[in-house]
Amino acid sequence: MNATAMTRIVELCLRLDNHASRLYLSLARNAGTDDLKGFWQDIATKNEQHLLYWDRLLNWAEKGMLNNLFDGPEKTLDELTGLEEKIYDLVDSCTQVRRKKKAFTMAFKLEFYLLHPAFETLSQYVATFNGDAGSDFPYERFVNRLFDALQKNELGTLELELVGEVIHRLWKENRRMAFLSNYDELTGIFNRRGLFNAITHLAHLAQRNENTVGVLMIDIDYFKAINDNFGHQFGDDKLRRVAECIREGIRASDVLGRYGGEEFLVFLPRVEPVSLGEVGEKIRRAIETMPDTRASVTVSIGIAYGYVGREVDADIKTLIYQADEKLLMAKAAGRNRIEL
C-alpha cells in the first residue's frame, strides 16, 4: 500500500467521524429532557475531540508510516465510501427525531456502521505507541455508553435491547479480531505483521532523530527436538516463557515480535552500539537459566545495528538480513551464543 491510499483511508474515517458528531448533535437538539440532552451533547463533544487523533494519523499516513496496515486498501476504500453514503443519509433522517427510543435506535445504527475493522485497526495502532500519542489522542466508540444509558432511562424494549446486545457483542469481537491481526495469540507479543507495522513507525522516528537502531534475531536451539521429545504443548509453553524472558530483558520502548515459528525479532529504535552485546547476553543467560527439570532451552542470537536513511523500508530489510546472517553464524559456531 502506498502513502496516498492510506491517506485517503484516514481522510474517509475522519469524514465518517464528523458525520457521527453531526448525528449526536441533532439528537441533543431534539432531546425531550435535560438529562438526555446532556447525554447526547457529551457524546458529541467527546466525538469531536477525535480531531487531534485523526490529525496525528494523517501525519503518519503522509509520511508512509501506516503503509502495512491493510492488505486490501482499495477494498477498504470502497467499503468506507459505501458507509459514508449510509451514514450521511442516517444523519439527515435524524434532524426531526424526538422520540427517545427512536433516538437510541439511530445511535445504535450509527455505531453499527462504525464497527468497520478500519477504525479498530487504526485505534489499536495508535494505542501501540501510547508513549508517543495514544494517551494524548484516545479514540473511543460509544457502544457501552449507549447500552448503559438505554437501561438507565428504562427505554429497553425487547427489540431494542436485542439490537444493543448484538452490537455490543460485535464490537467486542471486532476488537478481538483486530488484536489477532497484529498479535500472536500464543505468546501475546506482535506477530510478523504487527511487528513490521511497529518497526516501520519507529524507524521513521529514528530516521528523523538520526538515532542508531539495533536488530536482534533470536532463535530457539533445537526446537524441533523439544517438540519431538516432549510434545507440542510443552513446546508452546517454552515459546511463551522465552517470549517473557526476552520482554523482561529489553526496554519498554523496544519492540518484540514472533518472526517465525521459534524465531523472535527485537527492534531497538534508539541504542548505543556498545550496549547491544550486553542486551543480547542478558537475554541469552536469562533463557539458559530458566528453571525446568525436564528440558533446558538455549537460544542463538544475531545482532546488527546502523542508521536509517531515506529508504526506510529498504534499510530495515538490510538490517534484518544482516542480523539473520549473524544468527546463522552463531548457530554454525555451536549455538547458545551471540554474534554481533
Side-chain angles (χ1 to χ4, degrees):
M1 184 194 302
N2 58 44
T4 301
M6 196 62 237
T7 300
R8 288 168 60 201
I9 288 174
V10 175
E11 287 173 342
L12 255 174
C13 289
L14 169 59
R15 289 208 302 270
L16 293 177
D17 222 6
N18 286 335
H19 293 323
S21 293
R22 287 175 50 217
L23 183 144
Y24 284 122
L25 286 172
S26 290
L27 296 182
R29 283 194 297 269
N30 296 319
T33 66
D34 289 341
D35 283 350
L36 276 177
K37 182 180 180 66
F39 172 74
W40 295 122
Q41 181 64 57
D42 183 56
I43 289 186
T45 299
K46 284 183 167 54
N47 202 73
E48 289 171 346
Q49 291 172 357
H50 293 162
L51 182 60
L52 291 175
Y53 165 92
W54 292 117
D55 280 349
R56 176 60 63 93
L57 276 170
L58 277 171
N59 180 262
W60 289 350
E62 289 164 358
K63 291 179 178 178
M65 296 165 71
L66 308 180
N67 287 358
N68 300 316
L69 274 185
F70 299 106
D71 289 331
E74 295 305 324
K75 180 183 177 183
T76 300
L77 282 168
D78 289 343
E79 291 171 351
L80 292 173
T81 301
L83 277 181
E84 184 173 29
E85 295 176 7
K86 293 179 180 179
I87 292 176
Y88 190 86
D89 291 341
L90 185 66
V91 174
D92 280 350
S93 66
C94 281
T95 55
Q96 303 300 322
V97 171
R98 287 180 170 79
R99 289 190 298 118
K100 298 175 184 178
K101 291 179 181 178
K102 182 69 171 177
F104 275 92
T105 300
M106 293 293 194
F108 276 129
K109 194 171 184 179
L110 169 70
E111 294 298 328
F112 173 75
Y113 288 149
L114 294 178
L115 284 177
H116 190 280
F119 285 90
E120 190 59 39
T121 298
L122 289 168
S123 176
Q124 291 195 14
Y125 183 86
V126 173
T128 299
F129 305 99
N130 59 349
D132 182 36
S135 59
D136 297 326
F137 305 100
Y139 182 85
E140 70 168 316
R141 294 278 13 121
F142 308 107
V143 177
N144 272 340
R145 298 190 65 189
L146 289 172
F147 195 72
D148 291 343
L150 187 71
Q151 307 298 321
K152 179 181 177 182
N153 287 276
E154 299 180 349
L155 297 172
T157 62
L158 180 61
E159 294 82 2
L160 195 52
E161 286 184 359
L162 180 60
V163 168
E165 180 66 26
V166 167
I167 293 175
H168 185 260
R169 290 187 181 185
L170 285 173
W171 174 66
K172 290 174 69 176
E173 179 64 13
N174 206 37
R175 297 190 72 186
R176 188 183 77 86
M177 293 304 294
F179 176 84
L180 291 178
S181 71
N182 287 289
Y183 289 86
D184 177 50
E185 192 169 17
L186 176 65
T187 60
I189 62 177
F190 281 122
N191 60 22
R192 189 166 179 143
R193 175 186 180 135
L195 177 66
F196 277 96
N197 287 339
I199 288 175
T200 299
H201 178 100
L202 294 174
H204 276 86
L205 296 178
Q207 177 206 48
R208 185 177 67 193
N209 296 320
E210 298 183 347
N211 294 332
T212 305
V213 302
V215 174
L216 280 70
M217 292 289 286
I218 304 169
D219 187 77
I220 300 177
D221 297 326
Y222 303 111
F223 187 71
K224 183 179 183 301
I226 293 174
N227 278 333
D228 291 344
N229 294 329
F230 300 98
H232 287 276
Q233 188 172 357
F234 183 85
D236 286 350
D237 180 63
K238 286 296 184 184
L239 284 169
R240 282 190 290 265
R241 293 176 64 186
V242 167
E244 289 171 7
C245 274
I246 299 172
R247 186 157 42 196
E248 290 170 1
I250 60 177
R251 304 165 301 186
S253 58
D254 300 331
V255 171
L256 166 64
R258 190 174 174 188
Y259 190 74
E262 65 270 17
E263 197 169 35
F264 301 87
L265 187 149
V266 177
F267 179 77
L268 301 92
R270 182 175 183 179
V271 66
E272 293 297 329
V274 69
S275 68
L276 276 169
E278 296 173 3
V279 174
E281 185 61 17
K282 177 182 177 182
I283 292 170
R284 189 197 65 78
R285 287 180 181 173
I287 293 170
E288 184 183 33
T289 57
M290 285 192 308
D292 199 303
T293 57
R294 297 178 65 192
S296 60
V297 170
T298 63
V299 294
S300 301
I301 304 176
I303 305 174
Y305 65 89
Y307 288 100
V308 180
R310 296 181 63 181
E311 300 297 326
V312 174
D313 290 343
D315 288 349
I316 291 303
K317 287 179 181 177
T318 298
L319 279 173
I320 292 174
Y321 174 79
Q322 291 171 348
D324 202 31
E325 288 289 296
K326 291 297 178 183
L327 172 62
L328 291 174
M329 290 175 61
K331 295 171 84 69
R335 292 180 167 83
N336 190 24
R337 57 181 290 129
I338 65 172
E339 287 288 342
L340 173 61

